[in-house]
Amino acid sequence: MSETTQSIHGQWSGKLAFILAATGSAVGLGNIWKFPYITGENGGGAFVLVYLLCIAFIGVPIMMAEILLGRRGRQSPINTMASIARAEGLSPAWKWLGVMGVVTGFIILSYYSVIAGWALAYVERAVSGAFQGANGEQVGAIFANLTGDWEKQLAWHTVFMVMTMLVVARGVRGGLERAVSILMPGLFVILIFLVGYAVAQGDFQKGWHFMFDPDFSRLNAHAVLTAMGHAFFTLSLGMGAIMIYGSYLPKNVSITRVSFTVAVADTVVALLAGLAIFPIVFANQLEPGAGPGLVFQTLPLAFGQMPGGIIIGTLFFIMLTFAAWSSAISIIEPAVAWLVEKVGVTRHVACLLAGTATWALGIGTILSFNAWSDKTWLGKTFFDILDYLTANILLPAGGFLIAIFVAWMMRRQSVLEELNVKDGPWFEFWHFLIRFVAPAAVVIVFVQAIGLLG
Ligand code: PFF
């Protein structure tokens, strides 16, 4: 294993490329679209606090574990798990953890691409000045018009899937690395600008208090499960995306440092997104718990009022698309790498196969906003079910098993070697988190949430 110095799929040019790629994977719709609306639905401050604790004590340690597995195995998550298990003298069944990851990614991308399609559609709406002078009701109507129309959504979903597969088809350096080094810096600049607007024009105080004053009476087991699930989702953990990015990481890079950097960047973007959105929500008497439509109905209001709103609105939705794009490529990369390894097809054919299957499943999500909107199971639409199943169940379960594998199954020496650190208090602290804290937290939250269902 340690004789494998490079993946057959390629390698990042260096540490910065990995940081950009992993941040590109982490920062996505989860930060700008999902984090604000689930914070709104779960009452604000206390939810944000639990989320931050999950990032620090579960997310970062598991991210380190995932990267180290990837770099040690240097293959798709399925073959990485199989080969490390073999080298460590463990059961070959561990490869099923990789299989679960690939399947999870396939499901996530199917709905992720539909929402990213909304972002694309909104670029077009913003350019054409559709939000200029619009009030809350009109902005709501523009959104309803899009989600009610399956053909429009299918068209944008198709465009987004093609964009994603075009990047992935070009490979690690020529596709993934090139894309993220353009997409990420731009996203950050626009976000700062929008927070500036919210400070100047929105009800910033109210937005701030909503996000940071913890009201624990609004926190229930379901909110805690959502916060934990989102910590996995936003850091792209538990399904092999960060593992495969780790498999392209050069040997000399410190896994500890890059993990911190990526987690901090991701958290900062989520908090900034909240601070850009909630002040506008409150200044316009909108509902913070408006659900998936929140970003698509609040920011356009601001764009419609501000000077230069057409340009800024357009840039915002371009940036949202970029964020989604740089995440989407990481969601499907494990499946593509596996198809290349297992079936022996070229990367192009693998992209076509994985992309088509994902695209087809996405149709279910599109219909759940219109034709199937009343077809629910336990009160959830098809989209809600996929979202719940992946973010709240499959990702935490994947993260739990990754923690168990690294902390309890692998030889301590192999772990130390791959992390390239000395056995000492820091290592002990991380090992403690991953051995006890992270797995126990996942189990406790699961049990509580199941109890709530029953
Ligand atoms: N982290 C991405 C986001 O916050 O939008 C979503 C994601 C990417 C989830 C990659 C899972 C994954 F493997």
Side-chain angles (χ1 to χ4, degrees):
M1 184 141 323
S2 30
E3 71 275 9
T4 320
T5 52
Q6 201 162 326
S7 160
I8 59 158
H9 307 290
Q11 180 156 303
W12 306 116
S13 62
K15 175 171 136 185
L16 182 66
F18 173 83
I19 290 177
L20 281 173
T23 307
S25 168
V27 170
L29 295 173
N31 304 61
I32 303 170
W33 162 74
K34 193 171 183 190
F35 174 71
Y37 90 72
I38 56 177
T39 299
E41 285 177 341
N42 290 286
F47 175 85
V48 174
L49 186 68
V50 175
Y51 160 77
L52 291 176
L53 290 174
C54 290
I55 295 278
F57 294 105
I58 308 176
V60 175
I62 291 186
M63 181 180 282
M64 290 171 59
E66 229 184 274
I67 299 174
L68 87 82
L69 286 176
R71 189 164 73 180
R72 204 162 177 79
R74 294 269 189 229
Q75 297 159 78
S76 68
I78 299 178
N79 287 331
T80 281
M81 289 310 301
S83 74
I84 298 181
R86 199 177 322 113
E88 298 284 321
L90 302 165
S91 158
W94 278 102
K95 82 162 195 226
W96 287 97
L97 176 53
V99 175
M100 185 170 102
V102 169
V103 173
T104 307
F106 163 67
I107 302 175
I108 291 181
L109 189 56
S110 77
Y111 68 79
Y112 203 83
S113 168
V114 173
I115 313 295
W118 295 356
L120 273 172
Y122 266 57
V123 173
E124 190 266 326
R125 310 270 185 290
V127 175
S128 63
F131 308 131
Q132 290 318 98
N135 60 25
E137 222 169 277
Q138 289 159 330
V139 167
I142 294 175
F143 182 66
N145 195 290
L146 174 66
T147 53
D149 185 336
W150 68 266
E151 286 176 351
K152 269 189 214 149
Q153 288 185 88
L154 184 62
W156 290 115
H157 164 57
T158 310
V159 172
F160 186 79
M161 278 308 301
V162 170
M163 284 164 54
T164 302
M165 299 332 285
L166 280 179
V167 173
V168 179
R170 282 162 195 254
V172 177
R173 280 223 193 148
L176 309 184
E177 183 169 328
R178 237 195 16 228
V180 295
S181 39
I182 306 168
L183 303 180
M184 296 320 292
L187 171 91
F188 203 70
V189 173
I190 293 283
L191 206 49
I192 299 279
F193 182 87
L194 284 168
V195 175
Y197 176 82
V199 172
Q201 302 289 333
D203 191 340
F204 193 75
Q205 283 231 340
K206 206 162 173 196
W208 178 276
H209 286 302
F210 180 72
M211 276 182 69
F212 296 116
D213 291 352
D215 172 3
F216 288 100
S217 68
R218 307 204 50 179
L219 205 64
N220 56 25
H222 178 259
V224 176
L225 175 65
T226 308
M228 184 185 75
H230 189 64
F232 282 97
F233 186 85
T234 191
L235 293 178
S236 309
L237 297 177
M239 56 143 282
I242 288 295
M243 196 186 289
I244 193 119
Y245 276 16
S247 78
Y248 307 146
L249 184 65
K251 196 79 196 158
N252 54 0
V253 175
S254 157
I255 290 179
T256 316
R257 277 204 214 131
V258 292
S259 301
F260 270 103
T261 311
V262 172
V264 167
D266 183 75
T267 306
V268 167
V269 171
L271 296 179
L272 286 180
L275 290 177
I277 289 159
F278 288 118
I280 296 173
V281 169
F282 291 118
N284 292 284
Q285 283 84 44
L286 296 167
E287 197 29 70
L294 183 68
V295 171
F296 293 95
Q297 298 177 65
T298 52
L299 287 180
L301 259 184
F303 299 141
Q305 314 292 336
M306 64 171 80
I310 294 195
I311 297 177
I312 296 161
T314 307
L315 282 175
F316 174 79
F317 286 110
I318 291 178
M319 290 302 143
L320 185 59
T321 308
F322 281 5
W325 199 6
S326 62
S327 298
I329 56 183
S330 75
I331 304 178
I332 203 67
E333 177 68 17
V336 169
W338 178 76
L339 282 170
V340 171
E341 288 165 11
K342 175 79 183 175
V343 189
V345 289
T346 64
R347 192 170 250 275
H348 286 87
V349 174
C351 282
L352 195 66
L353 293 172
T356 310
T358 313
W359 173 85
L361 185 63
I363 295 171
T365 288
I366 293 178
L367 294 177
S368 65
F369 292 104
N370 37 74
W372 292 357
S373 62
D374 53 354
K375 289 200 186 359
T376 56
W377 187 66
L378 292 175
K380 292 188 186 311
T381 62
F382 185 79
F383 159 71
D384 294 332
I385 292 169
L386 295 191
D387 176 33
Y388 191 90
L389 178 72
T390 49
N392 292 359
I393 298 174
L394 290 171
L395 295 182
F400 170 85
L401 290 172
I402 287 168
I404 297 293
F405 184 83
V406 171
W408 294 92
M409 299 288 153
M410 277 177 81
R411 281 187 291 259
R412 189 184 174 96
Q413 197 47 42
S414 315
V415 175
L416 278 164
E417 188 183 296
E418 199 55 54
L419 281 181
N420 198 11
V421 292
K422 292 204 182 62
D423 205 343
W426 276 115
F427 177 79
E428 276 303 336
F429 180 56
W430 170 77
H431 213 226
F432 174 75
L433 289 178
I434 196 155
R435 230 170 140 83
F436 300 105
V437 177
V442 174
V443 170
I444 291 170
V445 175
F446 267 170
V447 170
Q448 294 288 326
I450 291 169
L452 199 81
L453 281 179

